[in-house]
Amino acid sequence: MKRILYSILISGLVMTSSCKKFLDTSPTDFLSPKNFYRNEADINAALNGVYDVLGKSSTYGRNLYFELDVADDSFIALSSWTQDAGLYNYNPSDLKITDTWTAMYNGINRANMLLENISKASMDPAKKRAAEGEALFLRAYYYFILANNWGNVPLKLTATASASEVNFPNTPYKTVYQQIVADMEKAADMVFPIANYTYGSRVTQSVVWGILARVNLKMAGAPLRDASRYAEVKKWAEKVRAAGHSLNPDYKQVFINMCQNKYDTKEVIWEVEFGKKNGTQDEEGSVGSINGIAANANIGYSYGAKHTTEKYYNSFDDNDLRRDWNIGPYSYDTNGGRVAYTNIQIYNRCDAKWRREYETTLPKFNGTTSINFPLLRYSDVLLMLAEAENEMNGPTQTAIDAVNEVKRRAHGKTLNTLELVKSVTITNGGTTTYTSAPTVTFSGGGGTGAVATAFLSAGKVTAIYLTNPGSGYTSAPTITFSGGAGSGAAAIAVLTKIASSNFDLTQAETTTKEDFRAAIRKERSLELGYEGLRRFDLIRWGQFYSTMKNLANEITTTAPASYTYAAKSAQNVSEKDTLFAIPALELSLNKVILQNKGW
């Protein structure tokens, strides 16, 4: 830990701004605790430094949802890569592993410094109490990330006083988790309700309750397998539910909002903010740049380096609106136009949850973005509630209703019983003179809200991509095309009673606890894909190794020859990969820490 400790001591309290809603500036002088922590401004500056860790490229700027969350829903589409943490082919000197470990302990030390000195500050007592609770929670959250990924990690609850403090033994996994729960439960009574804020980057009661549900769900699974924790999961999830949270009726809008610096704290309870200050990139966010749909600068540069697996694509039913949002249904041409994929091009398709075409903050940089990343959504809380309830009591109505709430949103199910537009059938592609995609307009039919995009090939309209099915139609609306320098295109709308069709759980999915368990696990994959939670889920269910080996076999036997490299990560996985290697640098300096098994 010497590298960590030296960097802490050298940096002192010089901390950059990431939680921009409550602090727009940060101290520029090297200050000691004796001369700091005097007032509210000092406390906010120190607290901002604790939050700052969330926005680093080593955490949610990139690593924790890209290289460190490769599972069965995606693969790193960089065929030239042969060695990397994301390929499960690396050694303990890997920089991404080292940097994430270091970032977590930097955050912990900053929290410890604040907790030890906050009593000195003269400020409003309620605000002081909330700041202390936020620091306490964040310290626990950073330990949660460490324990999830590295197991028995050193537990240090005091600030570093000297660079000679380097020898810290592994703390038993159960002890670390007991501390995490104790800190979070204490923080829950200290921080403010989410209603106090109009943005989602602050730690609030809803955040603490929701993450406590996640922590306890992990404790109920591998490796602790403490089934008594399911009652705690239910308790904390129900507190979130009672706080008035709800799902955004439009799944894709949840992620468009993140691209546009808009907040919906009813659904997105906690998110990492990325932004710009004085025309430059303020944080190292790569959301939509390393992942997203591959694009050039006309859209906003994206590597599109995380692609879907055919297994994940096929796990969605054809009426699930999440499929074509999570998984890109099109690519971009050199001018930024959309080019629809055919059904056989599944391995080409990118993780498309965050798309730079919706990013509104300018200028758009090539390597980084201003797009936020979600740490906790209400749909996750509903699914955690259902999982815990099922494990305790089987498929009760409470658990079934929670899953159905998520499934209904996913299928565009509304409260009315009228029809939606299911698809659009082209009856005439028009002349061959279209130079750009014409605008598609829906009118009549008694409903509203249907939206679609036209695609061209050789100057004709050849495909229609339905982006919103609308609602309330009593008859098929009329479709007209305008613009694009062409004419003659025609199409008809095909309706379906999605609003009244039964997309709820079937009887076969809820007959037994085992049936319902499988349904819940599938729903988590469909709903939360690419949000840094899939590997976490598979490991706590004890399914990571077997799932990855089955995926390797599927890809090598069914994928196109050009994409057989997509099996690399799954082929390389071994039993030891449920934990990452403790960094070699840590081992070289900390003489009492032990490496994880198999490394």
Side-chain angles (χ1 to χ4, degrees):
M1 298 176 78
K2 195 167 185 178
R3 177 186 175 191
I4 300 171
L5 304 177
Y6 273 132
S7 80
I8 291 166
L9 292 170
I10 291 170
S11 64
L13 295 171
V14 180
M15 299 165 182
T16 59
S17 172
S18 67
C19 200
K20 58 180 181 290
K21 291 294 181 180
F22 70 99
L23 183 69
D24 290 325
T25 59
S26 55
T28 55
D29 297 323
F30 289 91
L31 300 173
S32 68
K34 181 175 68 175
N35 299 316
F36 202 56
Y37 304 104
R38 299 160 301 180
N39 50 42
E40 183 177 341
D42 288 352
I43 296 303
N44 279 346
L47 182 58
N48 184 74
V50 184
Y51 275 95
D52 180 69
V53 171
L54 295 169
K56 297 302 183 185
S57 60
S58 54
T59 58
Y60 292 105
R62 170 168 167 159
N63 287 8
L64 289 176
Y65 62 83
F66 188 64
E67 288 95 347
L68 306 190
D69 186 49
V70 176
D72 61 333
D73 57 356
S74 63
F75 65 95
I76 295 176
L78 300 169
S79 59
S80 61
W81 280 21
T82 58
Q83 185 172 357
D84 188 81
L87 299 177
Y88 299 103
N89 182 28
Y90 69 99
N91 61 53
S93 297
D94 183 90
L95 288 179
K96 290 163 189 169
I97 297 295
T98 303
D99 289 348
T100 302
W101 170 280
T102 302
M104 293 299 99
Y105 276 108
N106 275 333
I108 288 165
N109 195 73
R110 291 175 182 183
N112 284 336
M113 292 174 68
L114 176 55
L115 292 169
E116 290 171 8
N117 290 282
I118 193 169
S119 62
K120 301 174 184 177
S122 297
M123 60 184 292
D124 177 84
K127 291 182 179 179
K128 180 190 285 190
R129 179 176 172 82
E132 183 179 355
E134 290 171 67
L136 195 63
F137 170 82
L138 287 169
R139 181 179 73 178
Y141 185 73
Y142 296 150
Y143 270 121
F144 179 49
I145 294 174
L146 284 165
N148 276 336
N149 290 298
W150 283 279
N152 301 326
V153 298
L155 182 65
K156 191 169 186 294
L157 303 178
T158 57
T160 300
S162 167
S164 63
E165 296 180 27
V166 295
N167 294 319
F168 298 96
N170 309 73
T171 302
Y173 186 83
K174 184 176 181 179
T175 302
V176 176
Y177 266 90
Q178 289 171 336
Q179 185 68 48
I180 291 168
V181 169
D183 283 352
M184 288 188 177
E185 288 184 350
K186 183 178 179 181
D189 295 326
M190 302 174 74
V191 300
F192 289 126
I194 198 166
N196 283 33
Y197 306 102
T198 58
Y199 54 94
S201 58
R202 201 73 178 257
V203 172
T204 64
Q205 286 183 327
S206 292
V207 170
V208 180
W209 296 334
I211 297 299
L212 267 167
R214 186 180 292 169
V215 168
N216 280 282
L217 200 61
K218 172 63 175 177
M219 295 174 76
L224 285 180
R225 301 193 184 280
D226 181 358
S228 69
R229 290 290 164 175
Y230 286 121
E232 293 295 299
V233 177
K234 182 180 179 183
K235 177 181 76 175
W236 296 114
E238 286 181 332
K239 280 183 173 289
V240 178
R241 202 173 195 181
H245 291 277
S246 59
L247 298 178
N248 188 311
D250 186 346
Y251 180 78
K252 69 178 183 301
Q253 191 61 44
V254 173
F255 306 97
I256 293 174
N257 286 344
M258 294 174 204
C259 297
Q260 298 180 342
N261 204 31
K262 296 177 181 177
Y263 302 93
D264 174 13
T265 56
K266 294 289 186 182
E267 160 111 13
V268 185
I269 299 171
W270 192 26
E271 61 190 294
V272 182
E273 288 193 289
F274 297 98
K276 298 178 176 66
K277 185 167 61 180
N278 301 323
T280 61
Q281 188 70 28
D282 189 34
E283 277 291 0
E284 300 174 289
S286 296
V287 185
S289 174
I290 188 63
N291 54 355
I293 301 176
N296 61 27
N298 291 330
I299 293 293
Y301 188 82
S302 172
Y303 290 96
K306 205 164 196 180
H307 285 202
T308 190
T309 60
E310 187 170 17
K311 173 188 176 182
Y312 187 52
Y313 181 88
N314 289 338
S315 66
F316 293 87
D317 67 67
D318 289 340
N319 293 295
D320 194 325
L321 301 175
R322 295 172 298 192
R323 185 189 66 188
D324 287 345
W325 187 260
N326 292 0
I327 302 167
Y330 55 80
S331 60
Y332 299 112
D333 62 26
T334 55
N335 296 317
R338 295 175 175 179
V339 180
Y341 282 125
T342 66
N343 288 337
I344 63 172
Q345 294 175 295
I346 294 174
Y347 281 94
N348 291 0
R349 303 185 187 205
C350 300
D351 156 10
K353 221 159 196 175
W354 300 273
R355 307 180 188 188
R356 296 200 72 181
E357 63 184 278
Y358 294 99
E359 187 181 3
T360 53
T361 303
L362 299 175
K364 295 183 182 181
F365 294 108
N366 278 355
T368 52
T369 78
S370 61
I371 299 172
N372 293 354
F373 186 84
L375 300 178
L376 178 67
R377 294 199 290 117
Y378 182 57
S379 56
D380 185 8
V381 175
L382 290 172
L383 295 173
M384 289 192 288
L385 171 62
E387 185 172 347
E389 174 71 359
N390 182 58
E391 293 302 327
M392 290 189 296
N393 304 311
T396 64
Q397 197 61 48
T398 295
I400 292 170
D401 287 347
V403 176
N404 282 340
E405 190 171 343
V406 176
K407 285 177 67 67
R408 287 170 190 160
R409 194 262 300 270
H411 291 86
K413 190 168 184 178
T414 61
L415 296 178
N416 61 59
T417 58
L418 300 176
E419 294 186 288
L420 312 179
V421 177
K422 178 181 181 181
S423 62
V424 177
T425 300
I426 299 169
T427 58
N428 191 330
T431 64
T432 58
T433 59
Y434 284 104
T435 57
S436 61
T439 299
V440 183
T441 303
F442 295 80
S443 59
T448 60
V451 179
T453 300
F455 292 91
L456 300 181
S457 178
K460 301 183 71 172
V461 176
T462 55
I464 301 291
Y465 173 48
L466 186 68
T467 58
N468 192 326
S471 63
Y473 290 99
T474 56
S475 61
T478 300
I479 297 175
T480 56
F481 296 84
S482 59
S487 61
I492 58 173
V494 179
L495 297 183
T496 184
K497 289 183 179 293
I498 289 180
S500 60
S501 295
N502 185 10
F503 286 104
D504 289 358
L505 291 159
T506 65
Q507 183 177 353
E509 290 174 309
T510 58
T511 301
T512 67
K513 176 187 288 189
E514 291 72 26
D515 295 331
F516 192 29
R517 179 187 293 140
I520 293 169
R521 290 179 177 182
K522 179 178 180 180
E523 198 62 29
R524 286 189 64 82
S525 172
L526 302 178
E527 175 71 19
L528 302 170
Y530 308 138
E531 294 183 42
L533 292 171
R534 183 58 176 168
R535 180 175 174 272
F536 165 78
D537 280 345
L538 289 172
I539 289 173
R540 68 182 178 85
W541 293 330
Q543 296 182 335
F544 179 67
Y545 176 76
S546 60
T547 297
M548 294 299 279
K549 288 308 174 188
N550 289 337
L551 177 68
N553 180 65
E554 179 179 325
I555 292 175
T556 55
T557 57
T558 66
S562 59
Y563 273 112
T564 53
Y565 77 88
K568 282 182 183 178
S569 296
Q571 288 171 326
N572 291 335
V573 161
S574 66
E575 296 281 6
K576 73 177 186 296
D577 289 307
T578 55
L579 294 175
F580 291 120
I582 291 176
L585 183 60
E586 180 69 21
L587 291 165
S588 70
L589 299 169
N590 182 350
K591 301 306 180 184
V592 296
I593 196 171
L594 300 177
Q595 180 60 279
N596 284 327
K597 183 179 179 180
W599 291 102

